[in-house]
Amino acid sequence: MADASDADVCAICLGGMVRGQAGFTAECSHAFHLNCISASVAHGNHDCPLCKAPWTVLPAVNAPRVPPPPSPQQVPPPSSSSRQVRGRTYEDDDPVQEIVQADAEAGTNGGAMVLKAHCECPAVARGSSRDNFAVLVHVKAPSAAATEAPRAPLDLVTVLDVSGSMIGSKLALLKQAMGFVIDNLGSADRLSVVTFNHDARRLFRLVRTSDAGKAEAKRAVESLFANGGTDIGKGLRVAAQVLDQRRYKNAVTSIMLLSDGQDSNTYYGMRHDRNAANYINLVPSSLTYSGAGNRPPAVHTFGFGADHDAAAMHTIAEMTAGTFSFIENEAVLQDSFAQCLGGLLTVAVQEARIAMTCLHPGVRVREVKSGRYDNRVDAGGRAASVDVGELYADEERRFLVLLDVPAAGADDGVTGLIKLSCNYRDAATGQAVDVTGDDVVVQRPVEVTDEEPSVEVERERLRVAATEDMAAARDAADRNEHAEGAGILRRRLEAVERSAVRMSGGSTFTALEGELRDLIARVEDRDEYETRGRACFLSGMSSHRQQRAGGMQLMSQSIPLSLELDNSDEDDEDECEEAEEDEDGEGLRDCLRSRTVEYKRPIKQSKGSARAYATPAMAAMVKRSRDQRRKTAAAPPQQQQQKKRHVERQQQQPGDQSEPRKRHRKHY
């Protein structure tokens, strides 16, 4: 079921549905530009590319658009390796390590999920009925600290952009970040690296990250150099082949995709027709969820710097149930990877599904506000469910269930609303687990004299409303209505500030207010929005809709660039470390702006937003990354000079056909 906020946005290109423009609204309520969806249907896709609902009515089919070929100067000719990709097989992955599980009778790994509910108010007058009565369903995954049992091992494929625009410090930062990832994988995990420019190749097989495997992986990563164009689709296709053809499988599988530029094929099509940006074609079919069977691996995307295609990276993440992170400050690339890795290494729950059944015969489920998670309300509204999928240890999800509650009988003191249950698979043990929550009820006194609203329910209502308004503001900005977009967010900010429960909201409200203020500044100025604002909106929406930490939330606690090619200004480094301890973080941000990224206006994100949705394991991995970067930044000058010479050597690789650093901007 599509959210109301999605109704006027094409779910493929994320552009507005303009009056007079040919469009198609599917049975599942997702809307598309006709030109966008017809190309997908022409390739044989007869279900919704987002929710995977089968279609009985199909749009008119146009022949797939073929973008004009780029000039030789824009994209170098294919190398011999690209002609061999189609015939290449990857059935050479290392065997998985057998994990000795604890006694099966001991139950699940780290305890069961916690399932709770909160009514918007504890009582409803006996003679009154209520429409859209809100119940907050709250689930929390088992804690990583509750057990010392082995965790679920990970198969990870990183898909890395090595096009010409990555040359220099960007590539050096990428190598450093990948070194951190390799160091923090366990001996039972497996890693493969795929690189892409105008072509794509597997850098090394899916190898177990034992000491020998880590050494092999580090040597391969250090050999990378940047040149050529950008073909994201080729990189994802090779990654899909690596996973599809593996002989063995670990319990958890994921892909991390990084790019700093525009996909060449998409960009050349958009020069002639904006609707030619069919990002769906970038994602291989084996990475999209069909709604049945095992879920494919999520693709977590990272837009590196201001020049990447945020719409493409966001669409890829949305189609695969991954997250999109905007790395505005290039210095925190390693921290962004660390945060994602901290979650992937603590996957505790898989294939989770929450079920709700009405208790009283007059109670009906009207709607479930579940963000990016698919929900179903049965005909008649007597039952509903939410497909949650995979959860990291300690991760939480909150969903608003809107009910119609009838008037109670003269002798009824309580009305039963819904019964909650959850079934899932424990990621480490593979065991199926069923959890039943307490029945959700509401008191029915003759008269309610003092109605106390639930802080938890009101907090979630504000978060959901703010997320919907972010989407509306982004849509307005994409129509060049920047003042309208800023106005939408200002009204939402005022509503948050006027909320009756704001004073008891703590860091949640502080974080939300800070994020809204930041987005207002980014949307009201056209140049700022085109340069960075759109990516900030999409990254924030991805995080809120999935209730999972994203890269933009690292900005307010970033630290200086650790890979200094010139270490002549160590005093500035000390200033930045001291500034990080400032209460409001302004000193650190001023230091960063002077040494890494030039911002048009200060970033006013609160420190609370940096912690939104992050689990303890994710926060711990980010701290480990920052500690390592501080040590690297404090390395003796001779080591810094060695790094500088290393970067200079990789810039002078033979046969370098580097494309100039370009900013391909989309003007809507």
Side-chain angles (χ1 to χ4, degrees):
M1 179 180 291
D3 288 346
S5 59
D6 296 336
D8 297 322
V9 178
C10 173
I12 295 179
C13 71
L14 303 181
M17 304 294 290
V18 181
R19 183 180 296 276
Q21 193 174 36
F24 173 75
T25 301
E27 300 142 273
C28 57
S29 300
H30 284 116
F32 309 88
H33 291 120
L34 183 60
N35 197 45
C36 292
I37 195 59
S38 63
S40 179
V41 173
H43 283 90
N45 300 315
H46 294 169
D47 51 15
C48 178
L50 289 183
C51 69
K52 301 305 174 185
W55 290 346
T56 58
V57 179
L58 300 177
V61 174
N62 298 328
R65 180 178 299 276
V66 179
S71 65
Q73 291 77 22
Q74 292 167 322
V75 176
S79 65
S80 59
S81 62
S82 68
R83 292 192 291 269
Q84 299 171 0
V85 167
R86 291 183 180 84
R88 192 175 291 168
T89 60
Y90 301 112
E91 299 175 353
D92 56 355
D93 54 310
D94 280 357
V96 298
Q97 177 177 311
E98 183 177 353
I99 304 297
V100 179
Q101 300 292 352
D103 186 355
E105 295 181 358
T108 60
N109 187 33
M113 287 180 63
V114 177
L115 188 60
K116 296 181 179 180
H118 304 273
C119 293
E120 67 171 75
C121 56
V124 175
R126 189 174 300 169
S128 301
S129 62
R130 293 283 291 269
D131 295 338
N132 290 316
F133 184 84
V135 174
L136 173 65
V137 176
H138 177 202
V139 297
K140 183 175 181 180
S143 173
T147 179
E148 296 181 357
R151 63 170 174 83
L154 169 68
D155 280 350
L156 176 65
V157 178
T158 58
V159 184
L160 309 177
D161 187 341
V162 291
S163 60
S165 56
M166 286 289 293
I167 201 166
S169 62
K170 277 188 173 182
L171 186 61
L173 286 166
L174 176 59
K175 291 179 179 180
Q176 177 179 285
M178 280 303 303
F180 179 86
V181 170
I182 294 167
D183 283 338
N184 285 278
L185 290 172
S187 60
D189 300 315
R190 301 191 300 173
L191 172 70
S192 179
V193 173
V194 172
T195 61
F196 68 93
N197 44 28
H198 54 277
D199 198 1
R201 69 187 181 105
R202 187 190 66 169
L203 194 63
F204 56 85
R205 72 190 189 285
L206 194 59
V207 61
R208 266 184 51 202
T209 46
S210 59
D211 290 343
K214 288 182 177 182
E216 176 186 344
K218 286 185 175 181
R219 285 193 299 269
V221 168
E222 284 300 318
S223 71
L224 293 177
F225 62 94
N227 73 340
T230 305
D231 194 325
I232 296 172
K234 281 186 178 178
L236 284 176
R237 286 193 290 275
V238 172
Q241 290 172 1
V242 169
L243 294 176
D244 293 344
Q245 297 176 17
R246 57 187 164 162
R247 300 170 298 171
Y248 312 96
K249 290 185 180 181
N250 269 328
V252 180
T253 302
S254 192
I255 295 173
M256 293 168 57
L257 166 67
L258 176 133
S259 179
D260 77 326
Q262 303 276 329
D263 179 76
S264 300
N265 297 324
T266 301
Y267 173 69
Y268 294 127
M270 286 192 67
R271 290 196 308 173
H272 292 77
D273 182 355
R274 172 177 171 252
N275 292 334
N278 194 339
Y279 298 123
I280 284 180
N281 290 337
L282 296 176
V283 183
S285 59
S286 64
L287 296 181
T288 58
Y289 182 47
S290 63
N294 294 330
R295 292 174 181 264
V299 181
H300 300 285
T301 63
F302 299 82
F304 192 24
D307 298 339
H308 74 282
D309 190 337
M313 301 296 273
H314 179 262
T315 301
I316 293 168
E318 286 280 292
M319 289 182 62
T320 61
T323 53
F324 164 53
S325 298
F326 172 35
I327 308 173
E328 182 175 10
N329 179 0
E330 296 169 4
V332 300
L333 169 61
Q334 179 173 302
D335 295 349
S336 296
F337 276 16
Q339 182 170 259
C340 183
L341 184 66
L344 295 175
L345 293 181
T346 57
V347 171
V349 169
Q350 294 176 316
E351 301 174 13
R353 180 178 179 271
I354 300 171
M356 294 157 274
T357 305
C358 294
L359 295 172
H360 188 281
V363 173
R364 296 288 185 273
V365 177
R366 175 170 289 197
E367 184 181 359
V368 180
K369 296 277 191 178
S370 58
R372 188 65 186 86
Y373 299 97
D374 292 338
N375 72 75
R376 295 171 180 82
V377 178
D378 291 356
R382 293 291 297 161
S385 63
V386 180
D387 290 327
V388 180
E390 197 168 80
L391 290 177
Y392 305 150
D394 298 290
E395 208 167 28
E396 302 177 60
R397 296 291 181 268
R398 294 173 173 85
F399 306 116
L400 280 178
V401 182
L402 303 183
L403 305 174
D404 290 342
V405 180
D411 297 327
D412 294 338
V414 173
T415 297
L417 299 179
I418 54 176
K419 176 181 286 294
L420 293 175
S421 62
C422 178
N423 59 77
Y424 65 94
R425 180 163 53 85
D426 185 282
T429 66
Q431 293 181 355
V433 184
D434 294 309
V435 177
T436 301
D438 295 334
D439 291 351
V440 183
V441 301
V442 63
Q443 300 297 317
R444 305 307 298 264
V446 175
E447 183 179 354
V448 177
T449 57
D450 186 15
E451 184 173 303
E452 297 182 2
S454 166
V455 173
E456 290 81 3
V457 173
E458 181 64 15
R459 183 185 295 124
E460 181 63 10
R461 274 178 163 160
L462 289 171
R463 188 195 68 81
V464 170
T467 303
E468 293 173 349
D469 283 348
M470 289 174 195
R474 180 194 60 82
D475 185 47
D478 285 345
R479 301 192 310 268
N480 288 324
E481 300 291 343
H482 294 274
E484 177 186 340
I488 292 171
L489 296 182
R490 283 196 177 93
R491 289 189 292 274
R492 178 53 54 193
L493 177 59
E494 292 170 359
V496 172
E497 292 173 337
R498 293 195 308 266
S499 170
V501 298
R502 178 182 181 274
M503 298 305 295
S504 60
S507 62
T508 299
F509 287 99
T510 302
L512 185 58
E513 290 170 11
E515 184 175 10
L516 288 171
R517 290 191 181 96
D518 177 57
L519 292 178
I520 289 169
R522 293 183 186 274
V523 76
E524 62 186 354
D525 180 84
R526 183 178 185 276
D527 290 340
E528 171 68 16
Y529 180 76
E530 293 291 337
T531 304
R532 301 181 183 90
R534 180 181 290 109
C536 290
F537 270 86
L538 293 175
S539 181
M541 289 162 55
S542 173
S543 181
H544 283 302
R545 283 168 58 82
Q546 292 206 55
Q547 301 181 52
R548 177 163 281 173
M552 264 303 296
Q553 296 161 335
L554 292 168
M555 278 299 304
S556 65
Q557 294 200 10
S558 56
I559 70 170
L561 179 65
S562 60
L563 186 73
E564 287 293 338
L565 301 182
D566 182 358
N567 200 39
S568 60
D569 199 358
E570 293 182 352
D571 291 339
D572 286 348
E573 195 77 32
D574 294 336
E575 290 177 7
C576 284
E577 291 191 15
E578 293 173 3
E580 190 179 14
E581 303 302 324
D582 287 357
E583 182 66 26
D584 60 1
E586 284 299 323
L588 174 62
R589 287 191 285 273
D590 289 341
C591 182
L592 286 170
R593 282 193 290 273
S594 67
R595 308 192 69 219
T596 56
V597 181
E598 295 181 0
Y599 296 101
K600 293 188 65 177
R601 57 174 54 84
I603 303 300
K604 296 293 186 182
Q605 287 178 303
S606 68
K607 297 185 81 171
S609 66
R611 296 189 296 267
Y613 308 124
T615 67
M618 298 168 83
M621 191 66 76
V622 172
K623 182 181 185 301
R624 185 180 301 176
S625 170
R626 289 172 177 162
D627 290 345
Q628 187 212 63
R629 293 201 292 124
R630 289 190 185 96
K631 292 178 182 179
T632 304
Q638 60 268 28
Q639 292 186 19
Q640 298 290 348
Q641 290 301 320
Q642 290 175 0
K643 292 176 183 176
K644 180 177 180 180
R645 288 193 294 271
H646 175 76
V647 172
E648 290 173 345
R649 284 197 299 271
Q650 72 87 20
Q651 290 176 343
Q652 299 170 0
Q653 288 284 345
D656 188 352
Q657 303 178 21
S658 300
E659 62 178 358
R661 181 181 176 89
K662 296 180 179 179
R663 178 172 294 171
H664 296 153
R665 283 288 136 222
K666 300 189 286 294
H667 299 290
Y668 294 109

